[in-house]
Amino acid sequence: MSSGPVKYVRYLLFAAAGLAVFFFLSRSAIPIPETIGSKLNPASYKDNSASPPSSHDSTATPKEQTNGASGSVSTPQGARVNATFVTLARNSDVWDIAKSIRSVEDRFNRNYHYDWVFLNDKEFDDEFKKITTALVSGTTHYGVIPKEHWSYPEWIDQDKAKKVREDMGQRKIIYGDSESYRHMCRYESGFFFRHPLMLNYEYYWRVEPSIELFCDISFDPFRFMKENNKKYSFVLSLYEYFDTIPTLWDSVKKFMDNHPEHIAKENSMEFLSDDGGKTYNKCHFWSNFEIGHLEWLRSKEYLDYFESLDRDGGFFYERWGDAPVHSIAAGLLLEKQQVHFFNEIAYYHVPFTHCPTGEQLRLDLKCHCNPSDNFDWKGYSCTSRFFHVNNMKKPAGYEAES
Ligand SMILES: Nc1nc2c(ncn2[C@@H]2O[C@H](COP(=O)(O)OP(=O)(O)OP(=O)(O)O)[C@@H](O)[C@H]2O)c(=O)[nH]1
Ligand SMILES: [Mg+2]
């Protein structure tokens, strides 16, 4: 028999226990951020450190797979790498980059919180900073590009450059009449990795406005790059528009003659040329996506290469793109095995899609791309050639997508 006050204490205890049960049940229905989830449930924390996706094995399914209630992106495995996302953008790109960030965060970075560096030739405005900082789960940094990296070097004849723009505009060459596009291509080719904000990092992942990722990224690509000594990676490759680079290969050959010591022994010349280096076949990695090693770009080899090309003036007298410039460097200055194709990273930048080949892989990674949109095995892609050059077996099912 309970007396009055004891009864009230018992009611209170029941009420508290009931609340605790209610809180527990309702909490378990809310997706718990996986970084927290892994701490709550160490059993779900798979150690994958001994078996990253194997080098040049595009058919390998990523080893870190689905994990727990809150989606199929797995928990971060081990330490993060010293890496950052990097975006060159104008203030007017804010909503297009917002879309890209959302995709990158949802499919990958919400579990890793890597930093994001934004670079611009003008000051970013408050709206750009507010929107992007709200979307990025890591720390954001905003940098203005030094004038000397976004202007004409003294050896460029600006009247000649202007005439070229007018002529290329009349010939309807894409961005042929644009001055800012040329500064952009030169900046991406030779300077972004030297911006003071980038000096803090070892690896970068370039993200452009309005891109999409279609699959969960169930491993850390930065860590994969580091552990496998990769220096440059891509998801899409294609042929360059010749009228934008008529003398680029002459300039590259001059560099090769002057700096034979910089050319890698086991290079990918076969990817770039069908005649042992006499001419360029125009194959390049599409650089609006790239994950790469900043220290390689800051190396003497790469800087000598860029400087030599820059002196020849083709960024202004033609319309050399950063894609062929980076790709030729990766092909000649790096060993073959240091260049990587990420089949698992499903990507779209207008007008091309990389949708991973292999149905089970697409299901495991919760992909929402249509495999028939995959560009890899179509005639205008250079990815088949990359596989051939590297003695890689094409993933099962590729024929149906060609
Ligand atoms: N700050 C700044 N960024 C630029 C400028 N021009 C281009 N960019 C950025 O440079 C990158 C490449 O430019 P894009 O316009 O996407 O060029 P593209 O990918 O060849 O062509 P699109 O098909 O238009 O995407 C993007 O991240 C742009 O936001 C510029 O004048 N200033
Ligand atoms: Mg773009």
Side-chain angles (χ1 to χ4, degrees), residues 87-91 93 97 119-122 124 145 150 174-175 178-181 183-185 188 206-210 286 288 319 322 349-351:
T87 294
L88 175 66
R90 295 153 287 212
N91 287 307
D93 291 318
I97 196 62
L119 301 173
N120 189 351
D121 55 309
K122 311 221 164 51
F124 281 111
I145 295 167
W150 194 282
I174 185 165
Y175 296 115
S178 171
E179 189 176 33
S180 64
Y181 195 86
H183 287 301
M184 181 276 285
C185 290
E188 292 286 22
R206 174 169 166 184
V207 178
E208 282 208 359
S210 289
W286 216 26
N288 48 65
R319 209 227 63 201
D322 52 280
H349 175 294
V350 65

Side-chain angles (χ1 to χ4, degrees), residues 137-177:
S137 65
T139 305
T140 48
H141 301 276
Y142 300 88
V144 177
I145 295 167
K147 191 92 197 111
E148 60 275 21
H149 293 172
W150 194 282
S151 50
Y152 291 97
E154 31 85 16
W155 61 87
I156 294 295
D157 175 344
Q158 293 189 37
D159 291 332
K160 180 174 162 187
K162 186 159 181 267
K163 289 201 184 79
V164 168
R165 290 198 301 277
E166 285 161 5
D167 172 60
M168 287 176 85
Q170 272 161 16
R171 290 194 287 140
K172 303 266 179 281
I173 293 169
I174 185 165
Y175 296 115
D177 60 352

Side-chain angles (χ1 to χ4, degrees), residues 37-46:
S38 67
K39 285 180 194 132
L40 294 178
N41 179 15
S44 70
Y45 200 101
K46 288 181 241 164

